[in-house]
Amino acid sequence: MKVSISSPAKINLHLKILDKNSDGYHNLDTSFQFIDLYDFMTFEQAKDGILIDTNNSSLNAKENTIYKAAVSLQELSKKNFGVKITIKKNIPIGAGLGGGSSNAASTIMVLNKMWGLNLNQDQMMNIGRTIGADVPFFINCKNAFASGIGDIFQEKESDISKYIIIDPKIFNSTQKMFSDYEKSKKNKNALLKDDQNSFWGIFLKSNQEVEDFYKKNSKKHKIYLSGSGSTMFIKYNSDAQKDKILKIIPSNWRFFLAKPLQYSPLKEFV
């Protein structure tokens, strides 16, 4: 049996950090939107073991979300199932687009069906929570307003704008960004940058090139930060707007043209 899927990215239309739980996690108010930027994954039944074949060397270690998700499903199976997972990474890593969480969710959903485990959506989401805070969103498969640690959902209509996703090629650790946010709360000036995303202040403070870009262009264009960064995006609705935005992106950065998705392409696996 062989299954090929597109594992989608997300953006956060807004993200506000509310407070910190006793368990160390933060309560959020955010808005998740699926976009048509994908990693491409293929799952092939194997006799035993979990093999990951990838174009990105950082996924060769066993600490990645795909391997953790596969092990979680393997431990639930009564048979010693195996799988070969091939992934072509296209979504930037450590960029606030949820690529790793999407890959983990894709793995849980596909292997549940491939191995006949018959887990329902809630059960899959509970497994996802043990891997990453954003994984349940990708298993939920619907655009949503989210609360809690980002895992309590209220379905929302899809955004209708088109996006230019701007990648400054900076790897951002979500854990470090939350830690830096806590430290920065003592200095309110460090946080008072943009109410679209609570991470804006510390992100700009630690990246001079991005701060220069933001200061130069934020009056003419509404610049959004996705997740804990480092990816930004600007909405557009015409080719004329798109052309103006493309001209302001530094030549050493990457960009993607993206559209909103009404729902995740993985909904057939729910």
Side-chain angles (χ1 to χ4, degrees), residues 109-141:
M109 296 168 79
V110 172
L111 293 185
N112 177 52
K113 183 164 282 191
M114 179 179 281
W115 291 345
L117 301 180
N118 298 316
L119 301 172
N120 62 35
Q121 190 174 37
D122 286 340
Q123 289 172 314
M124 290 191 288
M125 287 169 68
N126 285 334
I127 294 169
R129 283 184 180 90
T130 69
I131 298 170
D134 286 351
V135 179
F137 163 71
F138 287 96
I139 296 174
N140 191 50
C141 290

PDB file of all heavy atoms in Angstrom, residues 109-141:
ATOM      1  N   MET A 109      -2.596  10.789  10.756  1.00  0.00           N
ATOM      2  CA  MET A 109      -3.843  10.547  10.025  1.00  0.00           C
ATOM      3  C   MET A 109      -3.688   9.456   8.968  1.00  0.00           C
ATOM      4  O   MET A 109      -4.562   8.595   8.807  1.00  0.00           O
ATOM      5  CB  MET A 109      -4.317  11.860   9.403  1.00  0.00           C
ATOM      6  CG  MET A 109      -4.665  12.918  10.450  1.00  0.00           C
ATOM      7  SD  MET A 109      -4.905  14.559   9.754  1.00  0.00           S
ATOM      8  CE  MET A 109      -6.555  14.400   9.101  1.00  0.00           C
ATOM      9  N   VAL A 110      -2.572   9.497   8.242  1.00  0.00           N
ATOM     10  CA  VAL A 110      -2.365   8.499   7.186  1.00  0.00           C
ATOM     11  C   VAL A 110      -2.115   7.116   7.784  1.00  0.00           C
ATOM     12  O   VAL A 110      -2.700   6.115   7.346  1.00  0.00           O
ATOM     13  CB  VAL A 110      -1.203   8.914   6.261  1.00  0.00           C
ATOM     14  CG1 VAL A 110      -0.862   7.779   5.299  1.00  0.00           C
ATOM     15  CG2 VAL A 110      -1.573  10.168   5.472  1.00  0.00           C
ATOM     16  N   LEU A 111      -1.256   7.029   8.810  1.00  0.00           N
ATOM     17  CA  LEU A 111      -0.950   5.722   9.393  1.00  0.00           C
ATOM     18  C   LEU A 111      -2.155   5.132  10.120  1.00  0.00           C
ATOM     19  O   LEU A 111      -2.318   3.913  10.179  1.00  0.00           O
ATOM     20  CB  LEU A 111       0.254   5.828  10.341  1.00  0.00           C
ATOM     21  CG  LEU A 111       1.591   6.163   9.669  1.00  0.00           C
ATOM     22  CD1 LEU A 111       2.722   6.119  10.696  1.00  0.00           C
ATOM     23  CD2 LEU A 111       1.887   5.215   8.502  1.00  0.00           C
ATOM     24  N   ASN A 112      -2.998   5.982  10.686  1.00  0.00           N
ATOM     25  CA  ASN A 112      -4.227   5.489  11.306  1.00  0.00           C
ATOM     26  C   ASN A 112      -5.064   4.715  10.298  1.00  0.00           C
ATOM     27  O   ASN A 112      -5.611   3.644  10.605  1.00  0.00           O
ATOM     28  CB  ASN A 112      -5.027   6.670  11.866  1.00  0.00           C
ATOM     29  CG  ASN A 112      -6.350   6.250  12.470  1.00  0.00           C
ATOM     30  OD1 ASN A 112      -6.411   5.363  13.317  1.00  0.00           O
ATOM     31  ND2 ASN A 112      -7.436   6.886  12.022  1.00  0.00           N
ATOM     32  N   LYS A 113      -5.147   5.267   9.079  1.00  0.00           N
ATOM     33  CA  LYS A 113      -5.928   4.598   8.030  1.00  0.00           C
ATOM     34  C   LYS A 113      -5.155   3.419   7.436  1.00  0.00           C
ATOM     35  O   LYS A 113      -5.707   2.330   7.238  1.00  0.00           O
ATOM     36  CB  LYS A 113      -6.300   5.604   6.940  1.00  0.00           C
ATOM     37  CG  LYS A 113      -7.182   5.021   5.842  1.00  0.00           C
ATOM     38  CD  LYS A 113      -7.856   6.096   5.006  1.00  0.00           C
ATOM     39  CE  LYS A 113      -9.049   6.707   5.733  1.00  0.00           C
ATOM     40  NZ  LYS A 113      -9.878   7.558   4.828  1.00  0.00           N
ATOM     41  N   MET A 114      -3.853   3.621   7.173  1.00  0.00           N
ATOM     42  CA  MET A 114      -3.038   2.576   6.536  1.00  0.00           C
ATOM     43  C   MET A 114      -2.945   1.322   7.406  1.00  0.00           C
ATOM     44  O   MET A 114      -2.996   0.195   6.905  1.00  0.00           O
ATOM     45  CB  MET A 114      -1.641   3.127   6.242  1.00  0.00           C
ATOM     46  CG  MET A 114      -0.692   2.124   5.612  1.00  0.00           C
ATOM     47  SD  MET A 114       0.938   2.838   5.251  1.00  0.00           S
ATOM     48  CE  MET A 114       0.595   3.729   3.741  1.00  0.00           C
ATOM     49  N   TRP A 115      -2.821   1.532   8.722  1.00  0.00           N
ATOM     50  CA  TRP A 115      -2.657   0.401   9.643  1.00  0.00           C
ATOM     51  C   TRP A 115      -3.975  -0.062  10.258  1.00  0.00           C
ATOM     52  O   TRP A 115      -3.993  -0.948  11.104  1.00  0.00           O
ATOM     53  CB  TRP A 115      -1.671   0.788  10.754  1.00  0.00           C
ATOM     54  CG  TRP A 115      -0.257   0.938  10.263  1.00  0.00           C
ATOM     55  CD1 TRP A 115       0.254   0.510   9.076  1.00  0.00           C
ATOM     56  CD2 TRP A 115       0.830   1.552  10.967  1.00  0.00           C
ATOM     57  NE1 TRP A 115       1.599   0.823   8.982  1.00  0.00           N
ATOM     58  CE2 TRP A 115       1.976   1.462  10.142  1.00  0.00           C
ATOM     59  CE3 TRP A 115       0.953   2.176  12.205  1.00  0.00           C
ATOM     60  CZ2 TRP A 115       3.217   1.963  10.509  1.00  0.00           C
ATOM     61  CZ3 TRP A 115       2.200   2.675  12.582  1.00  0.00           C
ATOM     62  CH2 TRP A 115       3.332   2.565  11.743  1.00  0.00           C
ATOM     63  N   GLY A 116      -5.099   0.552   9.844  1.00  0.00           N
ATOM     64  CA  GLY A 116      -6.408   0.118  10.319  1.00  0.00           C
ATOM     65  C   GLY A 116      -6.601   0.269  11.818  1.00  0.00           C
ATOM     66  O   GLY A 116      -7.237  -0.583  12.465  1.00  0.00           O
ATOM     67  N   LEU A 117      -6.104   1.346  12.396  1.00  0.00           N
ATOM     68  CA  LEU A 117      -6.189   1.537  13.847  1.00  0.00           C
ATOM     69  C   LEU A 117      -7.553   2.064  14.295  1.00  0.00           C
ATOM     70  O   LEU A 117      -7.907   1.973  15.473  1.00  0.00           O
ATOM     71  CB  LEU A 117      -5.084   2.495  14.315  1.00  0.00           C
ATOM     72  CG  LEU A 117      -3.647   2.052  14.006  1.00  0.00           C
ATOM     73  CD1 LEU A 117      -2.649   3.086  14.518  1.00  0.00           C
ATOM     74  CD2 LEU A 117      -3.356   0.695  14.621  1.00  0.00           C
ATOM     75  N   ASN A 118      -8.296   2.666  13.360  1.00  0.00           N
ATOM     76  CA  ASN A 118      -9.659   3.136  13.626  1.00  0.00           C
ATOM     77  C   ASN A 118      -9.759   4.154  14.767  1.00  0.00           C
ATOM     78  O   ASN A 118     -10.745   4.170  15.521  1.00  0.00           O
ATOM     79  CB  ASN A 118     -10.588   1.939  13.918  1.00  0.00           C
ATOM     80  CG  ASN A 118     -10.694   0.993  12.734  1.00  0.00           C
ATOM     81  OD1 ASN A 118     -10.843   1.431  11.592  1.00  0.00           O
ATOM     82  ND2 ASN A 118     -10.590  -0.299  12.998  1.00  0.00           N
ATOM     83  N   LEU A 119      -8.753   4.999  14.900  1.00  0.00           N
ATOM     84  CA  LEU A 119      -8.823   6.089  15.877  1.00  0.00           C
ATOM     85  C   LEU A 119      -9.761   7.161  15.351  1.00  0.00           C
ATOM     86  O   LEU A 119      -9.756   7.465  14.158  1.00  0.00           O
ATOM     87  CB  LEU A 119      -7.443   6.694  16.104  1.00  0.00           C
ATOM     88  CG  LEU A 119      -6.336   5.760  16.615  1.00  0.00           C
ATOM     89  CD1 LEU A 119      -4.994   6.481  16.590  1.00  0.00           C
ATOM     90  CD2 LEU A 119      -6.646   5.262  18.023  1.00  0.00           C
ATOM     91  N   ASN A 120     -10.565   7.754  16.234  1.00  0.00           N
ATOM     92  CA  ASN A 120     -11.404   8.860  15.794  1.00  0.00           C
ATOM     93  C   ASN A 120     -10.602  10.166  15.852  1.00  0.00           C
ATOM     94  O   ASN A 120      -9.459  10.197  16.312  1.00  0.00           O
ATOM     95  CB  ASN A 120     -12.699   8.946  16.608  1.00  0.00           C
ATOM     96  CG  ASN A 120     -12.474   9.207  18.092  1.00  0.00           C
ATOM     97  OD1 ASN A 120     -11.545   9.934  18.473  1.00  0.00           O
ATOM     98  ND2 ASN A 120     -13.317   8.632  18.934  1.00  0.00           N
ATOM     99  N   GLN A 121     -11.214  11.250  15.399  1.00  0.00           N
ATOM    100  CA  GLN A 121     -10.489  12.517  15.302  1.00  0.00           C
ATOM    101  C   GLN A 121      -9.995  13.005  16.667  1.00  0.00           C
ATOM    102  O   GLN A 121      -8.858  13.460  16.801  1.00  0.00           O
ATOM    103  CB  GLN A 121     -11.371  13.579  14.653  1.00  0.00           C
ATOM    104  CG  GLN A 121     -10.619  14.855  14.282  1.00  0.00           C
ATOM    105  CD  GLN A 121     -11.489  15.829  13.523  1.00  0.00           C
ATOM    106  OE1 GLN A 121     -12.678  15.972  13.796  1.00  0.00           O
ATOM    107  NE2 GLN A 121     -10.915  16.512  12.554  1.00  0.00           N
ATOM    108  N   ASP A 122     -10.832  12.885  17.694  1.00  0.00           N
ATOM    109  CA  ASP A 122     -10.429  13.320  19.038  1.00  0.00           C
ATOM    110  C   ASP A 122      -9.235  12.522  19.547  1.00  0.00           C
ATOM    111  O   ASP A 122      -8.326  13.078  20.171  1.00  0.00           O
ATOM    112  CB  ASP A 122     -11.595  13.195  20.017  1.00  0.00           C
ATOM    113  CG  ASP A 122     -12.649  14.273  19.812  1.00  0.00           C
ATOM    114  OD1 ASP A 122     -12.315  15.308  19.195  1.00  0.00           O
ATOM    115  OD2 ASP A 122     -13.797  14.089  20.258  1.00  0.00           O
ATOM    116  N   GLN A 123      -9.239  11.229  19.296  1.00  0.00           N
ATOM    117  CA  GLN A 123      -8.118  10.391  19.731  1.00  0.00           C
ATOM    118  C   GLN A 123      -6.830  10.782  19.003  1.00  0.00           C
ATOM    119  O   GLN A 123      -5.759  10.843  19.617  1.00  0.00           O
ATOM    120  CB  GLN A 123      -8.448   8.909  19.482  1.00  0.00           C
ATOM    121  CG  GLN A 123      -9.519   8.357  20.408  1.00  0.00           C
ATOM    122  CD  GLN A 123      -9.952   6.962  20.007  1.00  0.00           C
ATOM    123  OE1 GLN A 123     -10.210   6.673  18.823  1.00  0.00           O
ATOM    124  NE2 GLN A 123     -10.048   6.064  20.985  1.00  0.00           N
ATOM    125  N   MET A 124      -6.961  11.055  17.702  1.00  0.00           N
ATOM    126  CA  MET A 124      -5.769  11.485  16.946  1.00  0.00           C
ATOM    127  C   MET A 124      -5.269  12.841  17.446  1.00  0.00           C
ATOM    128  O   MET A 124      -4.054  13.069  17.568  1.00  0.00           O
ATOM    129  CB  MET A 124      -6.088  11.534  15.449  1.00  0.00           C
ATOM    130  CG  MET A 124      -6.277  10.165  14.821  1.00  0.00           C
ATOM    131  SD  MET A 124      -6.333  10.209  12.998  1.00  0.00           S
ATOM    132  CE  MET A 124      -7.945  10.958  12.716  1.00  0.00           C
ATOM    133  N   MET A 125      -6.196  13.746  17.769  1.00  0.00           N
ATOM    134  CA  MET A 125      -5.801  15.058  18.268  1.00  0.00           C
ATOM    135  C   MET A 125      -5.103  14.947  19.626  1.00  0.00           C
ATOM    136  O   MET A 125      -4.148  15.672  19.908  1.00  0.00           O
ATOM    137  CB  MET A 125      -7.019  15.983  18.355  1.00  0.00           C
ATOM    138  CG  MET A 125      -7.500  16.448  16.982  1.00  0.00           C
ATOM    139  SD  MET A 125      -9.116  17.285  16.995  1.00  0.00           S
ATOM    140  CE  MET A 125      -8.723  18.790  17.857  1.00  0.00           C
ATOM    141  N   ASN A 126      -5.542  14.018  20.463  1.00  0.00           N
ATOM    142  CA  ASN A 126      -4.893  13.819  21.757  1.00  0.00           C
ATOM    143  C   ASN A 126      -3.465  13.312  21.599  1.00  0.00           C
ATOM    144  O   ASN A 126      -2.571  13.711  22.338  1.00  0.00           O
ATOM    145  CB  ASN A 126      -5.706  12.848  22.621  1.00  0.00           C
ATOM    146  CG  ASN A 126      -6.957  13.499  23.199  1.00  0.00           C
ATOM    147  OD1 ASN A 126      -7.001  14.716  23.387  1.00  0.00           O
ATOM    148  ND2 ASN A 126      -7.973  12.695  23.482  1.00  0.00           N
ATOM    149  N   ILE A 127      -3.255  12.435  20.615  1.00  0.00           N
ATOM    150  CA  ILE A 127      -1.891  11.989  20.311  1.00  0.00           C
ATOM    151  C   ILE A 127      -1.071  13.173  19.810  1.00  0.00           C
ATOM    152  O   ILE A 127       0.084  13.374  20.206  1.00  0.00           O
ATOM    153  CB  ILE A 127      -1.899  10.857  19.268  1.00  0.00           C
ATOM    154  CG1 ILE A 127      -2.566   9.606  19.847  1.00  0.00           C
ATOM    155  CG2 ILE A 127      -0.481  10.538  18.788  1.00  0.00           C
ATOM    156  CD1 ILE A 127      -2.850   8.528  18.821  1.00  0.00           C
ATOM    157  N   GLY A 128      -1.687  13.981  18.954  1.00  0.00           N
ATOM    158  CA  GLY A 128      -0.999  15.152  18.403  1.00  0.00           C
ATOM    159  C   GLY A 128      -0.532  16.117  19.479  1.00  0.00           C
ATOM    160  O   GLY A 128       0.552  16.707  19.365  1.00  0.00           O
ATOM    161  N   ARG A 129      -1.330  16.292  20.535  1.00  0.00           N
ATOM    162  CA  ARG A 129      -0.972  17.211  21.624  1.00  0.00           C
ATOM    163  C   ARG A 129       0.346  16.819  22.292  1.00  0.00           C
ATOM    164  O   ARG A 129       1.066  17.673  22.812  1.00  0.00           O
ATOM    165  CB  ARG A 129      -2.080  17.236  22.688  1.00  0.00           C
ATOM    166  CG  ARG A 129      -3.287  18.049  22.298  1.00  0.00           C
ATOM    167  CD  ARG A 129      -4.313  18.107  23.440  1.00  0.00           C
ATOM    168  NE  ARG A 129      -5.462  18.899  23.045  1.00  0.00           N
ATOM    169  CZ  ARG A 129      -6.543  18.413  22.443  1.00  0.00           C
ATOM    170  NH1 ARG A 129      -6.612  17.109  22.191  1.00  0.00           N
ATOM    171  NH2 ARG A 129      -7.538  19.202  22.090  1.00  0.00           N
ATOM    172  N   THR A 130       0.648  15.525  22.304  1.00  0.00           N
ATOM    173  CA  THR A 130       1.888  15.062  22.945  1.00  0.00           C
ATOM    174  C   THR A 130       3.111  15.382  22.091  1.00  0.00           C
ATOM    175  O   THR A 130       4.241  15.294  22.576  1.00  0.00           O
ATOM    176  CB  THR A 130       1.844  13.544  23.208  1.00  0.00           C
ATOM    177  OG1 THR A 130       1.887  12.834  21.954  1.00  0.00           O
ATOM    178  CG2 THR A 130       0.586  13.155  23.970  1.00  0.00           C
ATOM    179  N   ILE A 131       2.885  15.758  20.835  1.00  0.00           N
ATOM    180  CA  ILE A 131       3.996  16.022  19.911  1.00  0.00           C
ATOM    181  C   ILE A 131       4.235  17.515  19.732  1.00  0.00           C
ATOM    182  O   ILE A 131       5.370  17.979  19.676  1.00  0.00           O
ATOM    183  CB  ILE A 131       3.722  15.337  18.557  1.00  0.00           C
ATOM    184  CG1 ILE A 131       3.637  13.827  18.756  1.00  0.00           C
ATOM    185  CG2 ILE A 131       4.807  15.686  17.533  1.00  0.00           C
ATOM    186  CD1 ILE A 131       3.145  13.068  17.557  1.00  0.00           C
ATOM    187  N   GLY A 132       3.151  18.293  19.657  1.00  0.00           N
ATOM    188  CA  GLY A 132       3.304  19.741  19.480  1.00  0.00           C
ATOM    189  C   GLY A 132       1.968  20.437  19.596  1.00  0.00           C
ATOM    190  O   GLY A 132       0.921  19.872  19.252  1.00  0.00           O
ATOM    191  N   ALA A 133       1.992  21.685  20.083  1.00  0.00           N
ATOM    192  CA  ALA A 133       0.754  22.430  20.350  1.00  0.00           C
ATOM    193  C   ALA A 133      -0.070  22.675  19.095  1.00  0.00           C
ATOM    194  O   ALA A 133      -1.297  22.781  19.168  1.00  0.00           O
ATOM    195  CB  ALA A 133       1.086  23.756  21.034  1.00  0.00           C
ATOM    196  N   ASP A 134       0.567  22.785  17.927  1.00  0.00           N
ATOM    197  CA  ASP A 134      -0.166  23.073  16.690  1.00  0.00           C
ATOM    198  C   ASP A 134      -0.675  21.821  15.972  1.00  0.00           C
ATOM    199  O   ASP A 134      -1.460  21.920  15.029  1.00  0.00           O
ATOM    200  CB  ASP A 134       0.715  23.869  15.713  1.00  0.00           C
ATOM    201  CG  ASP A 134       0.893  25.319  16.124  1.00  0.00           C
ATOM    202  OD1 ASP A 134       0.195  25.756  17.063  1.00  0.00           O
ATOM    203  OD2 ASP A 134       1.726  26.010  15.518  1.00  0.00           O
ATOM    204  N   VAL A 135      -0.216  20.646  16.404  1.00  0.00           N
ATOM    205  CA  VAL A 135      -0.589  19.414  15.690  1.00  0.00           C
ATOM    206  C   VAL A 135      -2.104  19.195  15.676  1.00  0.00           C
ATOM    207  O   VAL A 135      -2.670  18.838  14.633  1.00  0.00           O
ATOM    208  CB  VAL A 135       0.161  18.197  16.270  1.00  0.00           C
ATOM    209  CG1 VAL A 135      -0.256  16.913  15.539  1.00  0.00           C
ATOM    210  CG2 VAL A 135       1.671  18.396  16.153  1.00  0.00           C
ATOM    211  N   PRO A 136      -2.826  19.408  16.804  1.00  0.00           N
ATOM    212  CA  PRO A 136      -4.290  19.213  16.757  1.00  0.00           C
ATOM    213  C   PRO A 136      -4.990  20.065  15.709  1.00  0.00           C
ATOM    214  O   PRO A 136      -5.965  19.617  15.099  1.00  0.00           O
ATOM    215  CB  PRO A 136      -4.730  19.595  18.172  1.00  0.00           C
ATOM    216  CG  PRO A 136      -3.544  19.288  19.032  1.00  0.00           C
ATOM    217  CD  PRO A 136      -2.360  19.665  18.187  1.00  0.00           C
ATOM    218  N   PHE A 137      -4.502  21.281  15.481  1.00  0.00           N
ATOM    219  CA  PHE A 137      -5.126  22.124  14.449  1.00  0.00           C
ATOM    220  C   PHE A 137      -5.086  21.443  13.087  1.00  0.00           C
ATOM    221  O   PHE A 137      -6.077  21.434  12.342  1.00  0.00           O
ATOM    222  CB  PHE A 137      -4.432  23.488  14.363  1.00  0.00           C
ATOM    223  CG  PHE A 137      -4.744  24.227  13.092  1.00  0.00           C
ATOM    224  CD1 PHE A 137      -6.004  24.761  12.863  1.00  0.00           C
ATOM    225  CD2 PHE A 137      -3.789  24.351  12.089  1.00  0.00           C
ATOM    226  CE1 PHE A 137      -6.315  25.411  11.672  1.00  0.00           C
ATOM    227  CE2 PHE A 137      -4.076  25.008  10.893  1.00  0.00           C
ATOM    228  CZ  PHE A 137      -5.343  25.538  10.684  1.00  0.00           C
ATOM    229  N   PHE A 138      -3.945  20.859  12.754  1.00  0.00           N
ATOM    230  CA  PHE A 138      -3.814  20.225  11.442  1.00  0.00           C
ATOM    231  C   PHE A 138      -4.666  18.959  11.340  1.00  0.00           C
ATOM    232  O   PHE A 138      -5.131  18.600  10.261  1.00  0.00           O
ATOM    233  CB  PHE A 138      -2.344  19.926  11.149  1.00  0.00           C
ATOM    234  CG  PHE A 138      -1.539  21.152  10.818  1.00  0.00           C
ATOM    235  CD1 PHE A 138      -0.792  21.796  11.795  1.00  0.00           C
ATOM    236  CD2 PHE A 138      -1.542  21.687   9.543  1.00  0.00           C
ATOM    237  CE1 PHE A 138      -0.052  22.941  11.500  1.00  0.00           C
ATOM    238  CE2 PHE A 138      -0.822  22.832   9.230  1.00  0.00           C
ATOM    239  CZ  PHE A 138      -0.070  23.464  10.211  1.00  0.00           C
ATOM    240  N   ILE A 139      -4.889  18.277  12.474  1.00  0.00           N
ATOM    241  CA  ILE A 139      -5.770  17.111  12.475  1.00  0.00           C
ATOM    242  C   ILE A 139      -7.234  17.555  12.410  1.00  0.00           C
ATOM    243  O   ILE A 139      -8.083  16.868  11.828  1.00  0.00           O
ATOM    244  CB  ILE A 139      -5.504  16.239  13.718  1.00  0.00           C
ATOM    245  CG1 ILE A 139      -4.072  15.670  13.655  1.00  0.00           C
ATOM    246  CG2 ILE A 139      -6.524  15.105  13.831  1.00  0.00           C
ATOM    247  CD1 ILE A 139      -3.638  14.919  14.899  1.00  0.00           C
ATOM    248  N   ASN A 140      -7.532  18.714  12.971  1.00  0.00           N
ATOM    249  CA  ASN A 140      -8.891  19.260  12.938  1.00  0.00           C
ATOM    250  C   ASN A 140      -9.334  19.591  11.512  1.00  0.00           C
ATOM    251  O   ASN A 140     -10.518  19.519  11.178  1.00  0.00           O
ATOM    252  CB  ASN A 140      -8.956  20.507  13.816  1.00  0.00           C
ATOM    253  CG  ASN A 140     -10.364  20.990  14.067  1.00  0.00           C
ATOM    254  OD1 ASN A 140     -11.229  20.207  14.455  1.00  0.00           O
ATOM    255  ND2 ASN A 140     -10.599  22.277  13.867  1.00  0.00           N
ATOM    256  N   CYS A 141      -8.361  19.989  10.660  1.00  0.00           N
ATOM    257  CA  CYS A 141      -8.571  20.180   9.220  1.00  0.00           C
ATOM    258  C   CYS A 141      -9.431  21.380   8.834  1.00  0.00           C
ATOM    259  O   CYS A 141      -9.773  21.537   7.664  1.00  0.00           O
ATOM    260  CB  CYS A 141      -9.167  18.921   8.573  1.00  0.00           C
ATOM    261  SG  CYS A 141      -8.013  17.549   8.489  1.00  0.00           S
TER     262      CYS A 141
END
